[in-house]
Amino acid sequence: RDDEPPYHHSVPRWHELPHQLVQTGLEVCLCGSDHRLGHSPPVLQRLLGLIGAASFWPLTVYFPIEMYIARAKVLKLSFNWVCLQALSLACLLVSLIAAAG
């Protein structure tokens, strides 16, 4: 256009970029930050291990199990409900043992 200065460049917004490009960029950032944290002092590595052990149970066990129970409308105190809650409790114990040392 004639009314725009010659140095004007439009930057695409996130929603205009292809999904795969955004996903790849985020994966590269995550891998880069993990790589840098992996070369950190041992004290920080222990702290990261504690954070990982603390976040494992709620993110990978508790929330998915609770969402499945709600979505599948599993009846409370049924055999499936008790088994899923026992699985959740067992994973919580493993996480606590891992966090302890």
Side-chain angles (χ1 to χ4, degrees):
R1 295 173 47 182
D2 294 334
D3 59 340
E4 291 182 359
Y7 53 83
H8 180 272
H9 296 285
S10 65
V11 178
R13 291 180 170 65
W14 282 103
H15 66 281
E16 295 173 351
L17 291 173
H19 175 70
Q20 189 175 13
L21 180 64
V22 173
Q23 184 178 6
T24 303
L26 291 175
E27 286 177 5
V28 166
C29 291
L30 180 64
C31 289
S33 63
D34 285 350
H35 180 73
R36 288 189 183 272
L37 288 173
H39 291 286
S40 60
V43 174
L44 185 57
Q45 289 179 359
R46 289 182 184 157
L47 179 65
L48 290 173
L50 182 63
I51 292 170
S55 66
F56 166 76
W57 177 72
L59 294 177
T60 60
V61 179
Y62 179 73
F63 292 131
I65 285 178
E66 291 299 318
M67 286 188 294
Y68 173 78
I69 288 173
R71 190 171 196 180
K73 296 181 178 148
V74 177
L75 296 175
K76 199 170 196 177
L77 297 177
S78 67
F79 179 74
N80 286 342
W81 184 86
V82 170
C83 288
L84 289 170
Q85 295 299 334
L87 174 66
S88 179
L89 179 64
C91 290
L92 173 62
L93 293 175
V94 168
S95 292
L96 291 175
I97 291 169

